[in-house]
Amino acid sequence: MDPLWSNIFRKKLDEDSLTNFLKNLPTFSGLRHKDLRTLEAIVHQRNYKPNELVFEEGDPGSGMYMIRGGSVRIFARLADGGEDELAILESGDFFGETTLTAPAARSASARTMEATELVGLFRSDLLELSERQPSVANNILFGITRVISERLQASSIEIRRLQNQLGEHSSPEGAET
Amino acid sequence: MNNDPVARRGLTRGQVALSFLVLSAGIACGLAIYSSATTLISLFRTASTVLFLPLLLSLVLTFLLEPIVAQLEKLFSRSGSILIVYLLMLGLLTLSALWLLPHWQSFIGNLGTDFPRYTTILTGYLRELLEGLHNRFPVIESYNLPIKFRGWAEQLLAAFLTSTPQSALRIGGLMIIVPLFTFFLLRDGRKIRRACVALAPNRHYEMVHDLSFLISKQLAEFIRGRVLEAIIIGIVVTAGLSVTDMRYAPMFGIFAGVTNLIPYIGPIIGMVPGILIAFVDFGASAQFWWIVILYVIIAQVIIDNFILIPILISRVSNLHPLWVFFAIIVGGKIYGVIGMIIGVPIVSIVKIILLEIRTYRSTFRLPETALISDRHH
């Protein structure tokens, strides 16, 4: 095939796949095609080298990242300079979503483990979109909120379970002393 | 004593020759870079003088029209909304031109006859004043101020009359270029900003992106506030003068509005011609005092200081008067009268950018995390 033509088709396929990628994320699975197009115009694609810092604990956080390819290590800094690994995220996962709506410092650091492509969605773009096209921004925010609430629910169930466990262990001790 | 022989021993013949070569090569390179840089800089200067003003005006216009376009965009497509805004603007401009044109024509037409009359009367007043002064301070006589004043005034008039067609040509050019630029800035402004921000390295990308958003929001507020303030002052002065027998009220209103863009000095410059002509025409009558009250108390103190500035202009963009004078002097030196008007806003913009970066950094630098990250960098 003519290299010129193959190039054109490749580009088109890539463009399609960003929409596809976004659509396959649980956050945006409920969006219509038109909304996805708008979302595609406000996200930012960034390529990272292996072992590159995405953000550092304490950095001003202004949005979330979705992993389109590669993997990212989330870790906390220890007092002695070591790293305490919190999670390893793969393609399709997202992180940093807590700072999307409320400005706050990053609570953990993130570093790529291999060559990684991240898709960033930032607060300022969403704010701008909510003024221009409120209904689309609404749909996007709804999707994100749904996933965040699911996570919150899961973690509160987990906390309840841990509390119960702690109660079972500590109450006999407390009775003895 | 001890250091010198050591240093001399440290340099062998070869090293001396090498350092000589490196130095001369360095000087040659420096000269080459300098000479090519001067051509580059002159090219850059030409490009910037041609593009600077239209781009700046288009940016201001973009910031002004953006909210209207954003409102319309909820109903129409982006390009469609811009087109609608353009049609509205065209209608508005045509109407104001139709209203203004007769005033402007009579103003220019009468200037040739009126101006000498005004200068004669003013020179007369000046002479009277000087005679009074002369009785007390005999030194002043040697300066012969009235004649000088007269010559200066005539020069001013000549410069104004010759530069009017010239500036009309320039304004005509701007009338074509600025709407064109503004259209593309309105349509693709977001993309252009994204493309610029995308150049930032990964590590600082998020911060640059956030800052660009905050800064452009502040800038939009500042520019909208300033222009709206100027327009309202212009309307108030025009309306106030229309009540009196003052001729060319719209001209003085526009002048007061435009000069109001310059803080501190602008309003004074804006009221001088109006008050002088009122004084010559009406003497120290009730109409004259009404005009003085209109310029000073109604327009400046009540409307501008008590109502408009607290509402429209955030305190962030306030500049120290010294900076205002610097900006006006340097702006005037570089771009003439236009430089005087845009110098202060540009310095304010730089201040807004710096302040925004500082507050952004300090908001997120919690003492604990700052300590930790300092240890690792």
Side-chain angles (χ1 to χ4, degrees):
Chain A
M1 206 191 213
D2 194 323
L4 183 73
W5 287 106
S6 68
N7 226 358
I8 287 174
F9 286 131
R10 238 175 82 97
K11 188 149 190 299
K12 181 120 177 65
L13 269 177
D14 269 352
E15 266 181 18
D16 269 343
S17 68
L18 179 58
T19 323
N20 267 343
F21 165 73
L22 291 171
K23 194 180 178 173
N24 288 333
L25 288 174
T27 357
F28 306 124
S29 56
L31 291 187
R32 286 169 299 162
H33 189 73
K34 200 171 140 265
D35 297 353
L36 280 170
R37 279 280 179 206
T38 316
L39 178 65
E40 199 186 318
I42 65 163
V43 296
H44 302 254
Q45 283 191 78
R46 305 289 294 178
N47 290 306
Y48 289 78
K49 291 197 265 301
N51 224 14
E52 197 177 345
L53 261 176
V54 181
F55 52 73
E56 180 90 43
E57 201 176 312
D59 276 358
S62 65
M64 64 187 274
Y65 290 93
M66 296 154 270
I67 306 172
R68 197 175 168 193
S71 53
V72 173
R73 198 173 111 97
I74 309 289
F75 60 93
R77 294 276 188 200
L78 294 175
D80 61 353
E83 297 177 357
D84 179 21
E85 184 176 299
L86 300 174
I88 288 186
L89 302 175
E90 302 283 338
S91 177
D93 291 334
F94 59 91
F95 57 96
E97 72 282 356
T98 45
T99 57
L100 187 62
T101 47
R106 296 281 184 200
S107 55
S109 307
R111 177 185 279 141
T112 60
M113 300 177 73
E114 52 196 299
T116 301
E117 192 181 350
L118 296 179
V119 177
L121 174 62
F122 300 116
R123 183 173 56 244
S124 48
D125 292 317
L126 261 182
L127 279 175
E128 211 173 38
L129 187 70
S130 68
E131 273 169 31
R132 275 188 303 131
Q133 289 168 309
S135 64
V136 182
N138 201 17
N139 289 343
I140 292 169
L141 277 172
F142 239 107
I144 295 166
T145 316
R146 187 166 48 78
V147 172
I148 291 179
S149 348
E150 275 167 19
R151 283 189 177 182
L152 194 65
Q153 216 159 21
S155 62
S156 55
I157 290 170
E158 181 72 10
I159 288 172
R160 181 84 45 82
R161 195 179 63 79
L162 288 172
Q163 261 176 348
N164 285 342
Q165 242 174 32
L166 202 67
E168 281 167 22
H169 281 288
S170 63
S171 57
E173 273 177 35
E176 273 173 33
T177 48
Chain B
M1 271 308 271
N2 204 15
N3 267 348
D4 203 23
V6 171
R8 211 172 283 166
R9 218 181 300 140
L11 285 175
T12 63
R13 208 173 281 259
Q15 277 171 324
V16 170
L18 189 70
S19 58
F20 174 74
L21 271 177
V22 167
L23 269 177
S24 46
I27 291 168
C29 280
L31 282 175
I33 289 169
Y34 179 75
S35 67
S36 60
T38 42
T39 30
L40 269 182
I41 285 170
S42 75
L43 272 177
F44 182 74
R45 267 182 79 121
T46 326
S48 69
T49 41
V50 172
L51 281 181
F52 183 73
L53 191 62
L55 258 182
L56 194 89
L57 287 176
S58 315
L59 269 176
V60 169
L61 209 59
T62 308
F63 276 126
L64 286 179
L65 297 180
E66 172 65 37
I68 309 171
V69 172
Q71 284 298 317
L72 283 171
E73 212 187 341
K74 287 172 189 164
L75 302 173
F76 308 99
S77 72
R78 182 92 183 158
S79 303
S81 336
I82 299 171
L83 218 63
I84 292 170
V85 169
Y86 265 46
L87 285 176
L88 285 176
M89 286 291 293
L90 196 71
L92 212 68
L93 278 179
T94 319
L95 278 180
S96 55
L98 281 177
W99 172 68
L100 210 60
L101 210 61
H103 287 283
W104 178 252
Q105 270 172 341
S106 75
F107 178 65
I108 290 291
N110 291 342
L111 205 61
T113 53
D114 276 353
F115 200 77
R117 193 165 62 83
Y118 286 127
T119 49
T120 318
I121 297 170
L122 275 176
T123 319
Y125 281 123
L126 201 65
R127 189 168 291 137
E128 264 172 42
L129 190 77
L130 277 176
E131 263 159 23
L133 273 175
H134 171 61
N135 293 335
R136 271 172 246 171
F137 310 102
V139 200
I140 293 173
E141 193 182 20
S142 55
Y143 289 114
N144 208 351
L145 271 173
I147 304 250
K148 262 190 193 157
F149 170 75
R150 200 160 183 166
W152 177 76
E154 269 155 18
Q155 271 178 12
L156 189 78
L157 175 70
F160 181 75
L161 284 180
T162 52
S163 71
T164 302
Q166 210 180 335
S167 56
L169 205 67
R170 262 181 85 188
I171 288 169
L174 285 178
M175 294 276 265
I176 297 166
I177 297 171
V178 170
L180 208 68
F181 279 6
T182 309
F183 179 81
F184 288 112
L185 282 177
L186 273 173
R187 206 190 61 170
D188 301 329
R190 247 193 317 271
K191 274 187 215 154
I192 294 169
R193 210 175 79 202
R194 267 173 75 101
C196 292
V197 171
L199 295 174
N202 280 337
R203 185 71 184 83
H204 303 287
Y205 180 69
E206 209 181 310
M207 193 181 76
V208 172
H209 177 261
D210 223 22
L211 271 177
S212 83
F213 175 76
L214 289 172
I215 289 170
S216 65
K217 212 170 105 179
Q218 281 279 345
L219 281 190
E221 235 164 68
F222 171 72
I223 290 172
R224 272 170 221 154
R226 274 278 172 221
V227 174
L228 214 63
E229 184 196 352
I231 290 173
I232 293 173
I233 291 293
I235 290 172
V236 166
V237 170
T238 310
L241 289 180
S242 302
V243 181
T244 66
D245 296 332
M246 189 90 165
R247 285 175 296 173
Y248 328 124
M251 295 296 128
F252 290 118
I254 291 171
F255 188 68
V258 170
T259 52
N260 205 70
L261 291 170
I262 311 171
Y264 303 107
I265 304 172
I268 298 170
I269 300 172
M271 65 179 74
V272 163
I275 288 178
L276 272 185
I277 286 183
F279 184 60
V280 171
D281 275 358
F282 308 131
S285 66
Q287 284 207 0
F288 169 72
W289 290 114
W290 157 249
I291 287 167
V292 170
I293 287 170
L294 168 76
Y295 267 117
V296 179
I297 294 176
I298 297 179
Q300 284 310 316
V301 177
I302 298 177
I303 305 268
D304 207 21
N305 274 316
F306 288 167
I307 301 173
L308 293 181
I309 289 179
I311 295 173
L312 295 174
I313 316 282
S314 69
R315 202 169 274 191
V316 179
S317 54
N318 270 354
L319 286 176
H320 191 273
L322 209 58
W323 284 111
V324 173
F325 289 121
F326 285 164
I328 291 170
I329 292 166
V330 174
K333 196 76 192 159
I334 298 174
Y335 280 110
V337 179
I338 292 166
M340 288 174 132
I341 295 170
I342 61 181
V344 178
I346 285 177
V347 173
S348 312
I349 285 167
V350 171
K351 190 191 174 190
I352 288 171
I353 291 172
L354 292 179
L355 272 182
E356 204 55 60
I357 290 172
R358 204 173 70 184
T359 45
Y360 187 78
R361 290 179 71 93
S362 63
T363 314
F364 288 100
R365 281 279 155 190
L366 308 170
E368 196 189 353
T369 51
L371 258 179
I372 291 170
S373 61
D374 278 347
R375 210 181 297 152
H376 292 283
H377 287 286

